[in-house]
């Protein structure tokens, strides 16, 4: 991508303010423009295995990648766990046995062989190093386990409630997020109980963080004093810090050294008649989210957030800044350049080998986009042309001084060629003898 002035007028004039009819030239400044593409899913809400472009999902939700690079999907309304591997989509577990009055596949709580087992709107999946799959079976209020072709109920009685104790006696209420630590402890975002639960390898369920009242609220502090508002997703980093998408509070929280703290997002006013905080959108250090539902953490500590109601994918950088990686804010389905791609409702995210995967519940697809953890940058957020002229190069905005601001005159856009070139590390020379401009960078040169 070259250099462009983004305005409503196709004619760009350079004055040096120098004059030319168009400012787009092939500077060797970056790689091919990254894009958002559909990895799998026809968009039709059905359960169909096979080639990724023909496969059918029905409200895909949580994602997880195992150590072999296989991508697992909690296919929520298909009541199934799917996997994308070796160029195909297949069903790991879950059977379809009829539909309800609204035409949705019937859910159930049936253990046994993977192809005969039944789930009820699973929303999260996580895989341990041995390949055992754990599922937040949200509609059944239990945690399930898939191992060696068998499905079993790992924790929970199947009745909604709030009870600690053995995995058999414990009760959950719409669990929808999972994470594993190095010791094999499984953490659960117990969404409608407004707490984070912990299941030890020995089969004991405790309330890890949250005040046990079951009421939604907001408070940082000790594990026992902290308050959450419908926590929706979890992620664990390499240091066993646990990150929580606190959806009803529009916040991203971190649990570290037995303390809960808010690391991204701001709380506004309550939505009338609810316990939810009003969602919004804003990048920067005082960011705002709109009912985020998914999270993953990169090896360098950067967080990737599925900002569901904003129809965007965001990143929380290590300095606390929040940037937008994909999505315009419109709800739709438009693949292509990250600057223009349109997403529906991103609800799950997973990362593996410089690729980010996004579960889009509205469009029934899994998106894929390139992601370099050490080169994360925001997509352009353009202001209206009447408000401000912006100049972008390979995804970065050029900030020009007050004496070099572009402007519109007589329907033409005037931009400072010399200032732009110097910002890009180019040398620019004006030759009066033949009235030419030479722009040089290394061995490359363009004469105008």
């Amino acid at each position: 991508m070259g250099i462009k002035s983004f305005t409503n007028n196709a004619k760009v004039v350079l004055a040096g303010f120098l004059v030319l009819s168009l400012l787009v030239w092939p500077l060797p400044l970056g790689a091919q423009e990254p894009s958002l593409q559909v990895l799998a899913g026809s968009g039709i809400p059905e359960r169909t295995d096979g080639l990724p472009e023909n496969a059918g999902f029905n409200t895909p939700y949580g994602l997880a990648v195992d150590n072999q690079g296989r991508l697992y999907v909690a296919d929520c309304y298909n009541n199934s766990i799917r996997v994308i591997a070796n160029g195909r989509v297949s069903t790991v577990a879950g059977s379809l046995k009829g539909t309800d009055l609204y035409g949705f596949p019937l859910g159930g709580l049936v253990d046994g062989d993977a192809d005969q087992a039944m789930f009820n709107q699973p929303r999260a999946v996580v895989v341990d190093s041995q390949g055992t799959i754990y599922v937040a079976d949200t509609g059944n209020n239990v945690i399930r386990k898939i191992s060696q072709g068998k499905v079993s109920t790992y924790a929970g009685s199947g009745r909604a409630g709030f009870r600690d104790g053995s995995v058999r006696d414990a009760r959950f209420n719409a669990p929808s997020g999972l994470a594993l630590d190095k010791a094999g402890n499984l953490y659960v975002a117990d969404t409608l109980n407004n707490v984070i639960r912990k299941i030890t390898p020995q089969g004991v369920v405790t309330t890890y963080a949250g005040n046990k009242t079951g009421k939604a609220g907001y408070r940082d502090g000790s594990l026992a004093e902290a308050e959450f508002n419908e926590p929706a997703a979890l992620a664990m980093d390499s240091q066993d810090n646990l990150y929580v998408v606190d959806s009803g509070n529009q916040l991203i929280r971190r649990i570290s050294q037995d303390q809960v703290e808010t690391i991204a997002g701001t709380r506004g006013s309550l939505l009338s008649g609810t316990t939810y905080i009003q969602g919004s959108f804003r990048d920067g250090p005082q960011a705002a989210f709109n009912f985020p539902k998914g999270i993953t953490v990169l090896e360098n500590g950067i967080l990737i957030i599925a900002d569901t109601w904003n129809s965007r994918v965001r990143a929380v950088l290590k300095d606390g800044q929040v940037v937008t990686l994909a999505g315009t804010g419109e709800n739709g389905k438009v693949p292509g350049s990250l600057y223009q791609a349109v997403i529906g409702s991103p609800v799950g995210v997973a990362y593996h080998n410089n690729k980010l995967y996004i579960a889009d519940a509205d469009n029934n697809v899994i998106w894929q986009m390139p992601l370099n953890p050490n080169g994360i940058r925001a997509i352009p957020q353009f202001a209206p042309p009447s408000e401000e002229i912006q100049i972008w190069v390979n995804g970065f905005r050029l900030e020009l001084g007050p004496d070099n601001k572009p402007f519109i005159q007589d329907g033409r856009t005037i931009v400072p060629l010399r200032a732009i070139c110097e910002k890009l590390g180019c040398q620019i020379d004006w030759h009066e003898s033949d009235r030419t401009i030479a722009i040089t960078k290394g061995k490359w040169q363009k004469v105008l």
Side-chain angles (χ1 to χ4, degrees):
M1 179 175 178
I3 304 174
K4 299 182 182 179
S5 171
F6 292 86
T7 73
N8 284 335
N9 193 308
K11 185 179 291 184
V12 179
V13 179
L14 306 176
F17 281 62
L18 300 168
V19 178
L20 199 76
S21 62
L22 184 66
L23 175 55
V24 178
W25 68 80
L27 277 176
L29 297 173
Q32 184 176 2
E33 185 173 306
S35 65
L36 184 72
Q37 301 296 332
V38 173
L39 171 69
S42 65
I44 300 172
E46 61 184 9
R47 196 182 83 171
T48 307
D49 288 338
L51 295 174
E53 62 268 25
N54 299 326
F57 298 91
N58 196 342
T59 315
Y61 226 90
L63 302 177
V65 182
D66 69 10
N67 52 21
Q68 302 297 313
R70 292 176 289 234
L71 179 65
Y72 294 86
V73 183
D75 195 1
C76 186
Y77 282 5
N78 273 328
N79 302 310
S80 302
I81 305 304
R82 316 288 292 284
V83 64
I84 305 171
N86 302 317
R88 294 187 66 82
V89 177
S90 56
T91 300
V92 175
S95 61
L96 299 181
K97 298 180 179 178
T99 58
D100 61 19
L101 294 175
Y102 302 98
F104 291 103
L106 284 172
L109 179 51
V110 178
D111 288 336
D113 291 339
D115 60 351
Q116 297 298 314
M118 295 186 71
F119 299 85
N120 191 1
Q121 297 185 16
R123 285 196 172 191
V125 61
V126 67
V127 188
D128 69 14
S129 58
Q130 283 74 47
T132 299
I133 303 167
Y134 297 92
V135 180
D137 195 359
T138 308
N140 280 324
N141 304 297
V142 297
I143 309 303
R144 311 290 288 281
K145 183 169 86 169
I146 306 172
S147 178
Q148 297 181 343
K150 300 285 186 179
V151 176
S152 59
T153 299
Y154 182 61
S157 67
R159 296 179 59 187
F162 188 9
R163 180 190 293 166
D164 288 335
S166 71
V167 288
R168 182 172 298 179
D169 296 330
R171 290 186 182 178
F172 302 86
N173 196 350
S176 59
L178 298 174
L180 282 163
D181 68 13
K182 294 176 184 176
N185 296 297
L186 181 66
Y187 298 83
V188 181
D190 195 0
T191 303
L192 294 187
N193 279 327
N194 299 299
V195 295
I196 310 302
R197 313 288 288 280
K198 177 181 176 180
I199 308 173
T200 68
Q202 293 74 36
V204 178
V205 178
T206 58
T207 298
Y208 177 63
N211 62 16
K212 294 190 178 183
T213 66
K215 295 182 180 179
Y218 169 67
R219 180 184 295 172
D220 283 339
S222 70
L223 296 178
E225 295 175 343
E227 295 179 355
F228 300 90
N229 190 344
E230 294 198 7
L234 303 176
M236 186 76 69
D237 70 13
S238 60
Q239 304 302 312
D240 278 350
N241 297 308
L242 183 65
Y243 298 88
V244 182
V245 174
D246 194 3
S247 186
N249 278 324
Q250 317 293 355
L251 302 174
I252 309 302
R253 318 280 291 276
R254 177 171 59 201
I255 305 176
S256 179
Q257 298 179 344
D258 296 334
Q259 292 288 312
V260 178
E261 61 178 331
T262 299
I263 61 170
T266 52
R267 297 177 82 246
S269 59
L270 280 172
L271 281 166
S272 177
T274 76
T275 62
Y276 304 125
I277 297 297
Q278 173 71 56
S280 184
F281 170 73
R282 184 170 57 252
D283 278 339
Q286 300 296 319
F289 298 92
N290 199 352
F291 291 97
K293 300 292 185 184
I295 185 171
T296 192
V297 57
L298 307 182
E299 58 261 34
N300 61 2
I302 291 175
L303 304 177
I304 307 297
I305 310 297
D307 193 2
T308 306
W309 286 19
N310 274 326
S311 296
R312 291 176 165 101
V313 176
R314 320 277 293 280
V316 182
L317 307 181
K318 288 182 285 186
D319 63 0
Q321 294 275 343
V322 175
V323 299
T324 296
L325 303 180
T328 64
E330 301 174 73
N331 184 301
K333 182 185 176 184
V334 181
S337 164
L338 297 183
Y339 316 131
Q340 299 173 316
V342 178
I343 310 171
S345 290
V347 289
V349 285
Y351 169 81
H352 179 71
N353 196 23
N354 284 350
K355 292 179 182 177
L356 182 69
Y357 304 104
I358 305 158
D360 187 339
D362 282 356
N363 287 315
N364 300 303
V365 300
I366 310 301
W367 297 95
Q368 173 184 283
M369 59 176 275
L371 186 68
N372 177 3
N374 298 314
I376 287 179
R377 62 192 187 193
I379 62 170
Q381 300 291 324
F382 300 125
S386 59
E387 186 176 305
E388 182 181 8
I389 299 171
Q390 302 182 37
I391 299 174
W392 294 77
V393 179
N394 293 340
F396 289 100
R397 180 175 174 177
L398 290 185
E399 298 289 351
L400 302 174
D403 295 333
N404 289 311
K405 289 291 186 182
F407 61 91
I408 297 175
Q409 179 178 297
D410 298 329
R412 300 183 302 175
T413 302
I414 312 299
V415 296
L417 178 61
R418 183 178 297 279
I420 292 172
C421 290
E422 289 175 351
K423 278 277 187 179
L424 298 174
C426 300
Q427 177 180 333
I428 182 165
D429 297 296
W430 165 249
H431 302 289
E432 181 66 34
S433 58
D434 58 2
R435 304 186 65 79
T436 60
I437 305 164
I439 303 169
T440 307
K441 185 173 184 180
K443 296 180 179 179
W444 177 90
Q445 187 177 72
K446 180 72 174 179
V447 178
L448 310 174

